[in-house]
Amino acid sequence: MARKKSPTGFGSRPAGKAVVRRVPMREFSRSLPMSLLRAREAVMRHFRPSLRNHGLTEQQWRILRALAAVETIEVTELARVAFLLGPSLSRILRDLEARQLIERKVAKADQRRSRVSISAKGLRLIEAVAPSSEAIYAAMTRRYGARKLAELQDMLHALEHSLSELSVMGEGNAEAEEFE
């Protein structure tokens, strides 16, 4: 005989009681990746409207910001510093190049490699977005506190540095092999 579903769809538990699942790991709400994603979303929610007003996506902005900090950069290095996968970067670079916001030059020694730089038009766009971006940073700083924001950035940098030195399980490095 089939069991009837309750209105909540979870059997016969009382309404309003949450189902507690017991798994051998920390609570989902305390997951570091999820906490970082929530914090990123809270920050980006403020920047997206400004970027949209200037016809930019988050990824395009990251690329332009990275390019504004250097004279020229190889595409593979740009992918690394902007945290973008190669295929996504290629598509975005085509779009930015079509809008004349970047310039791309193929390496003479190796036609498969290219270097990218921001164009004068790209720099003008950065200058147009900068006041809005800085106003958003100022509002966040007033809300969260300059000292706490600086400490947070220092802590995130230290976390990144610390974890970059930690071996990744499944990558077959010497540290992981010590425990086998």
Side-chain angles (χ1 to χ4, degrees):
M1 182 164 124
R3 234 171 90 168
K4 286 176 77 174
K5 273 191 171 178
S6 74
T8 61
F10 292 101
S12 61
R13 74 179 161 80
K17 297 278 185 176
V19 173
V20 177
R21 296 184 189 258
R22 306 233 184 264
V23 292
M25 35 190 339
R26 71 189 70 244
E27 290 179 40
F28 184 64
S29 65
R30 301 295 295 168
S31 157
L32 180 59
M34 289 307 301
S35 294
L36 291 169
L37 283 170
R38 284 191 305 273
R40 179 189 187 281
E41 182 56 30
V43 169
M44 289 310 299
R45 186 176 320 125
H46 297 276
F47 286 97
R48 282 189 199 108
S50 173
L51 294 177
R52 272 195 302 272
N53 288 340
H54 289 91
L56 292 168
T57 65
E58 294 173 45
Q59 295 83 4
Q60 289 170 335
W61 180 244
R62 283 203 318 255
I63 290 167
L64 292 175
R65 289 278 285 136
L67 291 175
V70 297
E71 191 70 32
T72 182
I73 190 170
E74 193 171 289
V75 172
T76 53
E77 179 65 7
L78 178 58
R80 188 188 68 73
V81 299
F83 283 90
L84 290 165
L85 297 175
S88 295
L89 179 62
S90 295
R91 178 185 44 79
I92 296 166
L93 290 178
R94 273 195 312 274
D95 294 345
L96 293 174
E97 192 172 24
R99 293 172 60 186
Q100 299 175 333
L101 298 173
I102 65 161
E103 297 169 352
R104 194 175 352 192
K105 292 187 172 76
V106 176
K108 292 175 185 169
D110 186 348
Q111 297 290 309
R112 297 168 298 175
R113 299 175 91 80
S114 63
R115 297 190 67 79
V116 184
S117 59
I118 192 165
S119 69
K121 184 177 178 181
L123 284 172
R124 285 192 301 274
L125 180 57
I126 292 251
E127 289 170 0
V129 176
S132 172
S133 180
E134 287 304 310
I136 294 165
Y137 269 110
M140 288 179 179
T141 302
R142 280 190 305 276
R143 177 78 177 177
Y144 191 63
R147 184 182 53 76
K148 284 173 50 177
L149 190 58
E151 288 172 358
L152 174 62
Q153 289 180 317
D154 289 344
M155 288 171 48
L156 290 170
H157 178 75
L159 175 65
E160 178 185 6
H161 180 75
S162 174
L163 295 181
S164 71
E165 296 174 351
L166 181 66
S167 65
V168 177
M169 291 181 65
E171 286 190 353
N173 55 34
E175 191 175 317
E177 292 170 2
E178 283 182 41
F179 298 104
E180 294 181 344

